[in-house]
Amino acid sequence: MRMPKLTALLTATAVFTSVLTLAATAADVHVLNWKGYGADEPWAIAAFEKATGNKVVNDFFNSEQEMLTKLRTNPGLYDVVMINAAFNDQAMAEKLIQPIDTSKLSNYADISKDKAGSPMLDHDGKVYGVPWVWGLTALAINEKSFDKPPTSITEMWNEAHKGRVVIRDDAVEAVQFGAIATGQNINDIKDMEAVKAKLTSLMPQIKTFWSSENDWNQMVASNQIDIGTYWSGSADRAKTHFKLPVSLVIPQEGAVAWLDAFSIPVGSKNVTGAEAFINYMIDPKFYVEWVTKVGAPVSANTKAVEALPEDAFNRKVMGDPDVAKRIQFQAPITDAQREAYLALWQQLKVDVK
């Protein structure tokens, strides 16, 4: 039976309207993050997509500088970006990210006050980054190479490990590591010559410079290395998920601490989807599953940490007041400092070759 013209028109209009509504509320959420860092876990993506109807499209970077470059050269492409808080100022100053309406994030109220109030993320009362997780760049060891874990950063210089030591290929992190090794404040280095001398003396120990979790894990899996700098969450993943003989060591001299946060880029085409994704990422349920299945850094959500077993590393060790006294959180650095660190690091790498 043919439909009367008016009825057909109304029906077609209703269908068209429902499609538009669906498109407006459920669309792609383009996420820029480190590869293998929570946001691209298949089970997490599946759960988020089922709950919201949004589809997650992941893209990755291997350094903060690459992340900033991707934001600069692809305006409007990304809806969510994960930024180390120390780089949030730069991203905001370049108008790469926009303020976030935290009232749309039901889990935001449970973010620890010190993290939520970080001046690196909150500018003039506007939130440009939602604290997600924090962790350390400390030492990790190949358990096969040690009878008992070392306690000092000086173990990296022990000649017994010559040719079996690794350090991340990152100028800022390397210089800050050198600052800790020389007893200095990583955010206020007074004696760069001491840092240079310390790092220069380390170069004969170095097997290679790593840039990704996969690099580090493959080397320990093939028993090529004894010790090296590593991220706390990555060490947890190596042990929990990949069953590698890896242990994290927080040296008595201290470690570099960092805070990772989610931001929404300027020009995002799906702010609503971005807000939903960020809220999901800071949810305790997601975090506990991430830690249990894969291994992860410490959540900035206090309820998420409290949901872990009392003896969990991220609760017992990373929450230890004695550890808190030894760690130094990265703060933003100037372009001049970054250029100086990079020049020093490049020269050191040339010399080691």
Side-chain angles (χ1 to χ4, degrees):
M1 182 178 73
R2 291 185 61 185
M3 231 183 252
K5 288 185 179 181
L6 179 59
T7 303
L9 177 61
L10 291 174
T11 301
T13 301
V15 170
F16 181 64
T17 301
S18 66
V19 169
L20 286 180
T21 301
L22 180 61
T25 57
D28 290 351
V29 179
H30 290 258
V31 180
L32 182 60
N33 191 9
W34 297 95
K35 187 174 179 61
Y37 196 31
D40 61 336
E41 289 295 330
W43 54 268
I45 291 173
F48 172 75
E49 291 181 343
K50 182 178 180 181
T52 67
N54 290 283
K55 181 182 178 184
V56 177
V57 180
N58 277 294
D59 191 13
F60 308 105
F61 56 82
N62 287 309
S63 70
E64 282 82 7
Q65 293 307 317
E66 183 184 0
M67 174 270 296
L68 291 170
T69 297
K70 286 195 170 189
L71 291 180
R72 294 181 191 118
T73 56
N74 298 283
L77 176 60
Y78 302 109
D79 302 300
V80 177
V81 58
M82 200 294 297
I83 304 179
N84 179 320
F87 289 82
N88 196 276
D89 271 353
Q90 184 177 355
M92 185 203 70
E94 293 187 30
K95 295 181 171 53
L96 298 174
I97 55 177
Q98 61 182 290
I100 299 171
D101 183 356
T102 58
S103 69
K104 303 288 183 63
L105 313 179
S106 59
N107 292 308
Y108 188 80
D110 299 320
I111 299 295
S112 66
K113 301 306 178 187
D114 62 318
K115 304 295 188 299
S118 170
M120 295 186 289
L121 303 176
D122 190 315
H123 304 280
D124 298 323
K126 295 180 180 179
V127 175
Y128 283 83
V130 175
W132 181 35
V133 292
W134 68 272
L136 306 176
T137 298
L139 301 182
I141 61 169
N142 178 349
E143 294 170 348
K144 294 179 180 179
S145 302
F146 293 86
D147 293 327
K148 62 178 182 179
T151 59
S152 173
I153 203 170
T154 59
E155 191 68 27
M156 293 273 282
W157 283 261
N158 186 332
E159 289 196 0
H161 307 302
K162 189 171 184 177
R164 294 179 62 84
V165 176
V166 292
I167 187 170
R168 185 183 171 212
D169 189 9
D170 182 275
V172 174
E173 202 168 271
V175 169
Q176 291 177 339
F177 174 76
I180 289 175
T182 54
Q184 301 189 66
N185 184 327
I186 67 170
N187 299 310
D188 186 22
I189 302 173
K190 302 293 188 183
D191 191 347
M192 278 296 292
E193 285 302 314
V195 170
K196 180 180 178 180
K198 194 67 176 178
L199 291 176
T200 298
S201 67
L202 179 64
M203 292 302 104
Q205 298 285 99
I206 299 297
K207 174 181 176 59
T208 191
F209 306 98
W210 65 273
S211 61
S212 70
E213 282 191 17
N214 189 55
D215 293 344
W216 209 101
N217 290 343
Q218 284 188 347
M219 286 185 288
V220 79
S222 56
N223 198 32
Q224 297 181 52
I225 60 174
D226 295 341
I227 188 171
T229 60
Y230 208 21
W231 300 312
S232 54
S234 299
D236 187 24
R237 272 189 291 281
K239 194 174 190 71
T240 302
H241 187 60
F242 297 109
K243 310 302 180 185
L244 295 172
V246 174
S247 288
L248 186 75
V249 173
I250 304 173
Q252 60 193 17
E253 295 87 352
V256 176
W258 36 263
L259 172 63
D260 284 342
F262 281 116
S263 296
I264 299 178
V266 168
S268 165
K269 296 180 176 66
N270 190 4
V271 172
T272 300
E275 292 166 345
F277 185 81
I278 293 171
N279 193 54
Y280 176 75
M281 285 284 111
I282 62 175
D283 191 285
K285 183 178 179 182
F286 160 76
Y287 178 70
V288 172
E289 192 167 358
W290 185 24
V291 171
T292 304
K293 287 183 174 180
V294 184
V298 187
S299 177
N301 186 321
T302 56
K303 286 189 176 180
V305 176
E306 290 168 359
L308 298 176
E310 289 187 5
D311 61 348
F313 181 85
N314 282 353
R315 184 172 178 180
K316 181 179 179 180
V317 177
M318 297 293 274
D320 186 339
D322 288 335
V323 170
K325 292 176 184 177
R326 303 205 304 271
I327 65 177
Q328 300 181 50
F329 273 90
Q330 289 178 320
I333 63 174
T334 65
D335 288 341
Q337 287 174 309
R338 194 181 311 282
E339 289 172 7
Y341 294 175
L342 183 58
L344 170 58
W345 186 234
Q346 288 176 332
Q347 186 59 54
L348 287 170
K349 291 196 296 179
V350 168
D351 290 346
V352 78
K353 291 176 182 177

